[in-house]
């Protein structure tokens, strides 16, 4: 009877295979094409310094995209990342300006590490609100995070009255210098923001591929009911991914305001779309359960390198818009055609 | 800034034309008010080894970092149209005198409206300090007439569609207003569309700011009372000229970093002198 | 009728339900049932669709909570918080509906939710080793790293079984584990079950394949309409006993309809080749030719993976043949769309009713009328009256048990859902109807009704082609039995064939 | 065996039942609460003239939301509606300015009806591009329409060079007056834009409830594979809904530019989110197959009446953002709780 079963397809092998990666990663092709084209068009493109600068620009989107990937793997979507980025930037900014404690009449200047921790906690909490709305109150993810997107943005605007916090550098006598470190320092020539991105990406990769949580995430994204019946704590997984996405947005917010040494409440508008585009270009399915950190990073770099290249070569900003849209569709199209041939699913 | 507004469009075009006249190649890019995009664009300018950056800062506070970055890379920066809250960074800050312009506009507005009645105001994007500067300028003048009562104020983000919808609702809330003063022309034009639709254009006098071609048309048509021309064409040109001087001589040739360019009033009387976008020939 | 006092039996009761009732709103799925599971023995549970079998099993495995009554484990009352809790107490279940994550590999599906921890997070190597071992035990050649979505339905069911086996539980509940398996695999499963029972594991087994279930049962319990109607040890039961207690009368699957002449050739397939839609090198339908006359009933028998589904889907227009002709009443139709084929009188009742048959967001009535909208469209708009008449007619014709045409499709029992799918395609007034495993998961009563329906249709000149994996279903109403193996027709029999002949031709080595 | 089936739930009845409508329509409740609260807060809210004005503001979103509903019923999503609105507005504007025919050296001023037709066709074509990408090239709807959103916006910007077309009123000697009619005239006191919305809504309602196409749409949104095997031309349905959505966006674009008598390329930014929110508040499921025109209209009115009310009562624009988000989540939450109690679906 064993003759009725089909042989295992030859390409299936868990081991890390570079070839397979290249073949599967249309995002990788897209990236190579982009780099090649722009290097040809502008002598300034293919330089180490430009790549580092571009990478540090990608960092913001990359961080958001990692959080978005987690949510999308879970079968959800998070529209609030841009707003959380703004809100946490503003909160970080407010803390750097000092907290006035009315009862004592003093202004407290928390040290930078405390600012960072508080900001991350706030981001995580807002993310957790998303998670609770989606997991426990069963609000569709699109709606829940859309609502939170508005609310978080509104709160950020209210906090600052629409204005931007400046002077985030801190001052030595208040003991709160160092905020700029995140955004503008370099270690061995690599901007800190790039290192932060790399760190987060590696952690996310480890979590997804080596831990039980990672498998729970893929399982509940693939078939939530089945995962639940197998004892996967699906609600916990859900709340956690939104929380992590919120926290990563806060990290992005900190990096951004550190890069700019200012924090404004309108930062990050429409970044959610860019983050989603990065994840999807990276091969993830919006229906959940499919996608990798590597792909997402490639997706983020495709978008970032493309827009930087368009600016460097002096393409008008309108054409930039057109090209961005075109590349998003093309990159995903390549995939559809590729799998459309092989896969049996409709 | 966002080139979908004729004001900023002219700003970029004039600067570009002037630079090319002086033998430079110029790239015009827009940050659309986003400080992160602005910072990205500055990075690119650095990568492209630009000789000078003419920047309309996105944000008085938020743009300091970007300017700092360019200065650190040894590129002179000239700011136009809006200021940043730090001196000594840019080689020059060439801006129209918003306060003076607002006062000028408000006086003309009071003249048109009369000195008693209810009015409403459309406010620009609050993240842009010009919005507050202009609003304060209006305030200073109008409060001298205690019988002019501000019945409402709405943020319409410099945008025509929002100006239209916010005005419609403001009219519902205050059917008896006699005047509307807007932070820029786009919002004023949106308001005019709403007033026309409500048949109240005769009752409500509208004032704008910027001196855009559309507004000038509206003045000609008698729909808009006046607009305040920002000499954007002048200071854009001047910024490039000073940059050129600085590159060649190390001096900008201007007396101070902050240079205010006075605004001019366009009313039905002098509207014919408006020869090109944002240019009023004397 | 017997009581639950197990006086015939010495084996101790490990898990028991006492007066368990379950209601969903106004629906009383279970009305105070007593049920015993004996150590080291197989208890089979019979009952028609919607009798409450799955509901009872879900309660016993902690998936849902009973509305009233108690559960007794080893003599002590227990309360399962959830399925994980029950699993920790040694109870595992194979669900009737597949519950696998299609995007994950076989290994990940088996171990999700109860990972084997190693020093560096999850010990994937160990999990893989165990998964491989399980596949060997089940005599399946499935690589543990294959994504489940690349497996056929039957193989997925094997994975589901493997997952339950991997738990090492004391009590194993199997809710229709074999609905997608063919005889050979069932045989392997029975071997595994025998091994388990000798080790003291208790089994609950549910199946609509009554003969098959009789092979392993130690006790039989019959549920009817949410209540237990009969209980007996193996020695006292036979097929008649089960059927009698299940549905109250004696059913048989009927005989080939006779007393009329076949008409013209309704469907002709000539040298059809269909490449594997999964992109593999072989052809799933390999140079196959077939003719069916009006009024004829043809049964296609084959093992899992014989290519019957692909043949059916190609005829209906979902898949495309690489070469060959399909003729409907002499007219070539290969180039036509599915809709055009339906309009010309060729209808397919698909194999997987959840995935391909029903629109879950629509009511029973809307599902029934879906394929024949043009029949009640007057000009631009649909006619409510005409639609109502058509739906009422369909419900009557295929005897759907429903509270009304506006009931949600999900509120029907599996068998009735199946009848809705058949009714939907019958409503298009087809000349040829293809049915892919029409009896899957439906009870003996419903099965008999479906076959009666087909036989009646044939008498009126309908050409019927159906597939099945149960030989007894071939030997019911079919005038002709065709055996497929690896995409080819390996044998053809008349109605007078025997079980042994059919099984031998299908490539099954050891006849069950 | 008939005794095993469950009795009919009491509320099931095909006939139009007002009570059922009220009970099911949480959007209806939300609307009543909103009207009540604002009428209490401002004497100017509960007036006919205000309702008509608000309705004409809702018209834009309502038109977009009808198109969005069709797409969402199909299980898709259309992010490009705002961009198509802008593009078609700009095209309408360009045509009103006259088409210069180089070869002849003349400027052609098409009559208004021609302008309207051409604009609608362009909108439909852009929509059809979405449809083809989704149906035939199998690009996920989110990505396809995201790409088209960028491209359409970029084209609109390129066409106008970023500027706004003005003077759309036309002039009698060119025979192209009348463009303003759509936006600013009234028939029997009702603004034309409201009538346009009502017309489109009624047509959509008829199509959805009384035609084969409507049935196909619901079926293919509920289960595409099953619909296909039942003879539903699923690809045709898909292309059609995106085309209709594009066309309705073009109608909205015409109405908007007629209201403003100007057409700018940045109009309609982020309107897609508002349209989606309206559809979801109106009870449609983002997974497809569930939703009604009536619900969507209620959803659009909830959003429109809320934001107008916030302006009329003078709430600060930041609080407006916060409230909008809150109401979106609350409205959908009410539904989740409502159905969560009774329904059997998870
Ligand atoms: N979640 C639910 N909500 C409402 N009714 C339900 C639910 N689950 C099951 N039922 C009803 O309970 C009854 C028993 O269903 P159950 O699934 O236990 O039947 P079954 O005996 O397993 O049938 P089958 O042989 O078709 O699998 C049916 O009438 C069914 O419609
Ligand atoms: N020659 C072959 N060698 C290996 N595998 C084959 C071969 N022919 C077909 N198969 C596999 O068998 C599958 C055919 O399955 P299909 O569902 O059509 O069978 P079936 O007869 O309908 O069985 P069932 O419905 O009981 O699963 C194909 O998907 C293919 O992977
Ligand atoms: Mg069952
Ligand atoms: Mg099959």
């Amino acid at each position: 009877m064993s003759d009725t079963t089909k042989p295992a397809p030859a390409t299936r092998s868990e081991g890390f295979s570079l070839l397979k990666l290249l073949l599967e990663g249309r995002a990788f092709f897209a990236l190579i094409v982009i780099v090649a084209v722009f290097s040809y068009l502008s002598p300034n493109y293919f330089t180490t310094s430009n790549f580092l600068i571009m990478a540090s620009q990608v960092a913001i989107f990359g961080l958001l995209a990692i959080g978005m990937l987690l949510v999308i793997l879970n079968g959800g979507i998070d529209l609030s990342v841009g707003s959380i980025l703004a809100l946490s930037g503003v909160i970080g900014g407010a803390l750097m300006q000092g907290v006035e404690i009315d009862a004592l009449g003093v202004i407290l200047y928390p040290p930078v590490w405390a600012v960072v921790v508080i900001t991350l906690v706030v981001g995580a909490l807002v993310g957790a609100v998303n998670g609770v709305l989606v997991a426990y109150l069963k609000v569709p993810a699109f709606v829940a995070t859309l609502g939170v997107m508005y609310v978080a943005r509104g709160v950020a605007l209210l906090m600052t009255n629409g204005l931007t916090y400046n002077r985030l550098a801190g001052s030595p006598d208040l003991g709160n210098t160092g905020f700029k470190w995140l955004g503008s320092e370099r270690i061995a020539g690599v901007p800190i923001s790039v290192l932060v991105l790399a760190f987060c990406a590696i952690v996310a990769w480890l979590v997804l591929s080596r831990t039980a949580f990672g498998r729970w995430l893929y399982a509940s994204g693939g078939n939530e009911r089945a995962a639940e019946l197998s004892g996967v704590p699906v609600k916990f997984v859900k709340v956690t991914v939104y929380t992590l996405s919120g926290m990563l947005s806060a990290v992005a917010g900190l990096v951004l305001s550190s890069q700019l040494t200012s924090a404004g409440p309108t930062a990050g508008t429409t970044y959610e779309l860019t983050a989603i585009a990065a994840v999807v270009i990276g091969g993830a399915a919006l229906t959940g359960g499919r996608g990798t950190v590597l792909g997402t990073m490639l997706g983020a770099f495709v978008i970032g390198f493309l827009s930087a290249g368009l600016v460097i070569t002096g393409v008008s900003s309108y054409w930039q818009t057109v090209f961005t849209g075109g590349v998003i569709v093309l990159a995903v199209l390549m995939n559809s055609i590729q799998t459309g041939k092989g896969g049996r699913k409709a | 800034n966002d080139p979908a507004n004729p004001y900023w469009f002219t700003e970029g075009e004039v600067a570009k034309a002037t630079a090319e006249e002086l033998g430079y190649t110029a790239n015009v890019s827009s940050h659309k008010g986003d400080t992160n995009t602005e910072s990205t664009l500055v990075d690119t300018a650095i990568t492209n080894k630009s000789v000078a950056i003419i920047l309309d800062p996105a944000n008085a506070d938020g743009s300091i970092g970007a300017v700092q970055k360019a200065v650190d890379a040894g590129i002179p920066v000239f700011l136009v149209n809006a200021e940043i809250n730090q001196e000594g960074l840019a080689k020059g800050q060439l801006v129209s005198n918003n306060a003076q312009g607002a006062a000028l506009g408000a006086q003309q507005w009071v003249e048109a409206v009369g000195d008693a009645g209810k009015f409403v105001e459309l406010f620009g994007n609050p993240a842009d300090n010009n919005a507050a500067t202009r609003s304060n300028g209006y305030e200073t003048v109008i409060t001298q007439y205690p019988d002019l009562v501000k019945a409402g104020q709405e943020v319409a983000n410099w945008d025509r569609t929002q100006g239209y919808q916010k005005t419609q609702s403001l009219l519902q809330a205050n059917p008896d207003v006699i005047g509307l003063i807007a932070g820029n022309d786009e919002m004023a034009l949106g308001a005019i569309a709403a007033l026309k639709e409500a048949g109240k254009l005769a009752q409500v006098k509208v004032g704008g700011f910027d001196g855009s071609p559309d507004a000038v048309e509206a003045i000609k048509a008698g729909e808009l009372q006046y607009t305040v021309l920002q000499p954007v064409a002048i200071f854009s040109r001047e910024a490039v000229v000073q940059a050129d001087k600085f590159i060649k001589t190390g001096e900008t040739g201007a007396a101070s970093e902050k240079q205010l360019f006075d605004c001019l009033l366009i009313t039905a009387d002098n509207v014919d002198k408006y020869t090109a976008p944002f240019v009023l020939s004397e | 009728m017997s009581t639950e006092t197990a006086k015939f039996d010495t084996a101790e009761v490990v898990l028991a339900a006492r007066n368990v009732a379950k209601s969903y709103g106004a629906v009383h799925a279970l009305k105070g049932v007593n049920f015993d599971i004996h150590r080291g023995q197989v208890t089979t549970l019979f009952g028609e669709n919607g009798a409450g079998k799955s509901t009872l099993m879900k309660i016993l495995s902690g998936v849902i909570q009973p509305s009233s009554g108690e559960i007794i484990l080893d003599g002590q009352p227990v309360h399962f918080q959830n399925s994980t809790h029950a699993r920790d107490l040694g109870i595992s279940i194979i669900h009737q509906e597949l519950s696998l994550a299609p995007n994950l590999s076989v290994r990940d599906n088996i171990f999700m939710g109860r990972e084997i921890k190693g020093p560096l997070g999850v010990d994937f190597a160990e999990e893989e080793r165990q998964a491989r071992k399980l596949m060997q035990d089940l005599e399946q050649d499935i690589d543990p790293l294959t994504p489940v979505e690349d497996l056929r339905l039957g193989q997925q069911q094997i994975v589901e079984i493997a997952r339950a086996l991997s738990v090492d539980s004391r009590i194993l509940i199997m809710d229709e584990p074999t609905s997608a398996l063919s005889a050979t695999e069932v045989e392997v499963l029975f071997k595994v079950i025998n091994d388990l029972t000798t080790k003291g594991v208790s089994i609950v087994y549910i199946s609509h394949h009554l003969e098959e279930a009789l092979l392993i049962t130690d006790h039989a319990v019959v549920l009817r309409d949410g209540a237990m109607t009969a209980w007996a040890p193996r020695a006292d039961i036979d097929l008649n006993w089960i059927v009698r207690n299940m549905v109250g009368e004696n059913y048989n699957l009927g005989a080939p309809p006779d007393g009329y002449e076949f008409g013209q050739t309704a469907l002709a397939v000539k040298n059809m080749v269909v490449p594997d839609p999964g992109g593999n090198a072989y052809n799933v339908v390999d140079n196959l030719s077939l003719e069916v006359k009006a009024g004829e009933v043809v049964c296609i028998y084959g093992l899992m993976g014989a290519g019957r589904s692909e043949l059916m889907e190609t005829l209906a227009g979902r898949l495309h043949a690489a070469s060959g002709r399909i003729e409907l009443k002499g007219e070539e139709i290969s180039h036509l769309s599915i809709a055009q084929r339906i309009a010309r009188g060729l209808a397919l009742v698909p194999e997987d009713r959840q995935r391909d048959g029903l629109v879950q967001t629509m009511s029973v009535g809307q599902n029934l009328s879906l394929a024949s909208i043009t029949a009640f469209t007057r000009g631009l708009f649909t006619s409510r009256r005409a639609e109502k008449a058509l739906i009422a007619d369909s419900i009557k014709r295929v005897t759907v048990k429903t509270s009304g045409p506006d009931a949600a499709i999900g509120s029907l029992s599996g068998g009735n859902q199946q009848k809705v799918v058949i009714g939907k395609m019958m409503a298009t007034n087809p000349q040829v109807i293809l049915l892919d495993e029409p009896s899957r998961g439906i009870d003996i009563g419903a099965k008999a009704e479906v076959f009666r329906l087909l036989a009646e249709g044939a008498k009126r000149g309908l050409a019927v082609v159906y597939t099945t994996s149960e030989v007894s279903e071939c030997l019911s109403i079919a005038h002709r039995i065709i055996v497929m193996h690896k995409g080819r027709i390996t044998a053809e029999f008349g109605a007078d064939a025997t079980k042994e002949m059919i099984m031998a031709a299908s490539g099954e080595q050891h006849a069950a």
Side-chain angles (χ1 to χ4, degrees), chain C residues 49-50 52-55 96-97 175-176 206 208:
Chain C
N49 292 125
K53 304 182 295 295
S54 300
T55 308
Q96 180 176 13
E97 310 292 343
D175 194 350
E176 301 198 35
I206 299 177
H208 287 294

Side-chain angles (χ1 to χ4, degrees), chain A residues 4-285:
Chain A
T4 58
T5 57
K6 65 173 185 182
T11 52
R12 294 279 165 212
S13 118
E14 261 271 296
F16 180 82
S17 146
L18 191 67
L19 186 74
K20 176 186 140 200
L21 195 153
L22 293 188
L23 286 175
E24 290 195 348
R26 57 183 165 174
F28 193 77
F29 278 127
L31 192 60
I32 290 186
V33 170
I34 287 172
V35 170
V37 169
F38 286 115
S39 302
Y40 174 77
L41 290 178
S42 162
N44 297 321
Y45 191 83
F46 201 80
T47 59
T48 317
S49 80
N50 186 43
F51 277 116
L52 288 175
I53 294 227
M54 291 197 297
S56 76
Q57 291 169 2
V58 168
I60 310 288
F61 293 116
L63 286 166
L64 297 181
I66 294 175
M68 190 65 79
L69 171 68
L70 299 180
V71 174
I72 286 180
L73 280 179
N74 194 238
I77 199 148
D78 189 351
L79 300 180
S80 66
V81 291
S83 295
I84 297 181
L85 178 148
L87 180 63
S88 45
V90 163
I91 284 175
L95 292 174
M96 290 301 295
Q97 311 284 305
V99 192
E100 206 165 328
I101 301 191
D102 274 336
L104 301 176
V106 297
I107 300 185
L108 217 68
Y109 291 93
V112 170
W113 67 260
V115 171
V116 170
V117 169
I118 295 174
T119 310
L120 294 187
V121 168
V122 171
L125 281 180
V126 180
V129 171
N130 279 330
V132 169
L133 282 173
V134 174
Y136 290 95
L137 301 175
K138 306 232 172 352
V139 181
F142 199 98
V143 185
T145 58
L146 181 69
V148 170
M149 164 180 136
Y150 281 116
V151 174
R153 176 76 64 195
V155 171
L157 286 163
L158 281 171
M159 276 188 57
T160 62
N161 205 4
L163 299 175
T164 297
Y165 284 120
N166 209 357
R167 303 192 308 278
L168 300 191
S171 63
D173 42 319
L174 296 173
N176 64 349
T177 50
F179 191 74
K180 277 180 64 179
W181 180 80
L182 203 55
S184 51
E185 286 306 301
R186 297 182 172 219
I187 291 179
V190 183
I192 304 281
S193 54
V194 177
L195 296 177
V196 170
L197 174 65
F199 174 77
C200 290
I202 289 171
V203 170
W205 175 73
L206 280 177
V207 167
L208 285 184
S209 63
R210 307 292 322 186
T211 66
F213 182 82
R215 184 188 282 166
W216 293 347
L217 178 49
Y218 279 103
S220 50
N223 182 344
E224 183 165 331
R225 227 183 66 84
E228 186 169 12
L229 288 175
S230 314
V232 173
V234 287
K235 296 200 167 163
F236 165 77
V237 171
K238 233 177 216 164
V239 174
T240 309
V241 291
Y242 285 96
T243 308
L244 287 174
S245 174
M247 198 152 102
L248 282 162
S249 306
V251 174
L254 286 174
V255 170
L256 181 62
S257 42
S258 168
Q259 281 179 353
L260 303 173
T261 58
S262 72
T266 53
T269 315
T270 73
Y271 284 16
E272 64 278 358
L273 292 180
T274 314
I276 295 171
V279 173
V280 178
I281 291 180

